[in-house]
Amino acid sequence: MNINIIVCVKQVPASSKTQVDPETGLLMRSGAESRMNPYDLFAIETALQLKQRYGGQVTALTMGPPQAEAVIREAFALGADDGVLATDRRFAGADVLATSYTLSQAINRLGAFDLILCGKQTTDGDTAQVGSELAERLGIPSAANVSSVRMENGRAAVTYEINEYVFDTRITLPCLICVDKDICTPRLPSYVRRQASAGLRVHTLTLDDMPDKDPSHYGLDGSPTQVKRIFPPEIEVIHEVWRESPSETAGRLTSVLADLGIV
Ligand SMILES: Cc1cc2nc3c(=O)[nH]c(=O)nc-3n(C[C@H](O)[C@H](O)[C@H](O)COP(=O)(O)OP(=O)(O)OC[C@H]3O[C@@H](n4cnc5c(N)ncnc54)[C@H](O)[C@@H]3O)c2cc1C
């Protein structure tokens, strides 16, 4: 069957201790310690297993600063055949709408595909919206929270879950699937594969390579949602040691909880 798969992967801060730009309120990603979004490892693994079963090609795609090339190289070390980095200062500060638009333009530039795989969400913005919005932008069907996928008569047979309900459906290709984290067990990047893929080229797309070259559709300018301020929640921790009898302690705890309106 040979399926042409694009996997969307994002580079995210490796820890929550990432600096915030006081001017823009955005995360300062350049130079910050970063890693592949853990949920995208399930999307890559699903793509590699489908390629193994049906043949075809796996292309990893990311939008991010130049350092995001590292997640494409990680995808190569896992088994991806090709990689694309959409990077341009004019893409910076993108909200979900602008991110999905930029990815859709990059995919339109790349040409024909059968299946797009995304992770469930990211560990930084974690809106879990880019996948579905990207499908809308491309005018293709999509499914989220997918826990199994196989090909059947040229369609994707998927199982997805919404709360306690489980759905089985068939989706016409090309389509987009956001995979859940229980769909598979991601393989580890192999040293041999990392060495073998070191020579693979990461293709870079800037705004000038996109079908739509209007900068106002990208980045902060193209984002109706702007993160005004990111700040760690103030956590107030008070330590108290109560030495009364168990029943007195129970009584005191009940009145404290009542005062807090919890009981
Ligand atoms: C703390 C914080 C809060 C934010 N709140 C909002 C908000 O309320 N509304 C809003 O519009 N934006 C918000 N943003 C901006 C938003 O995070 C970015 O637009 C981001 O690029 C995409 O959203 P996400 O991280 O939520 O992705 P999600 O929708 O959670 O990602 C789902 C999947 O889409 C794919 N994907 C996502 N980003 C990329 C990428 N750059 N390259 C390739 N594939 C990708 C991956 O497969 C990923 O698993 C916020 C950012 C931060 C850091």
Side-chain angles (χ1 to χ4, degrees), residues 7-13 25-27 29 37 39-40 43 61-64 93-100 103 117-134 178 223-227 229-230:
V7 189
C8 293
V9 296
K10 185 183 179 186
Q11 186 177 55
V12 295
L26 297 173
L27 292 180
R29 295 179 189 276
N37 174 41
Y39 291 93
D40 298 339
L61 167 65
T62 191
M63 177 198 93
D95 70 354
V96 169
L97 275 180
T99 298
S100 61
L103 292 172
L117 290 171
C118 292
K120 178 178 181 162
Q121 62 192 86
T122 65
T123 52
D124 59 350
D126 84 28
T127 62
Q129 293 172 24
V130 167
S132 308
E133 288 190 17
L134 176 54
C178 304
S223 299
T225 311
Q226 295 190 357
V227 177
R229 195 162 68 96
I230 300 178

Side-chain angles (χ1 to χ4, degrees), residues 65 158 164 168 192 206 255:
V158 303
E164 69 275 17
D168 273 322
V192 176
T206 68
S255 58

Side-chain angles (χ1 to χ4, degrees), residues 68-88:
E69 176 175 334
V71 293
I72 299 295
R73 295 230 159 267
E74 189 172 342
F76 285 159
L78 288 164
D81 307 292
D82 207 351
V84 179
L85 166 62
T87 189
D88 193 307

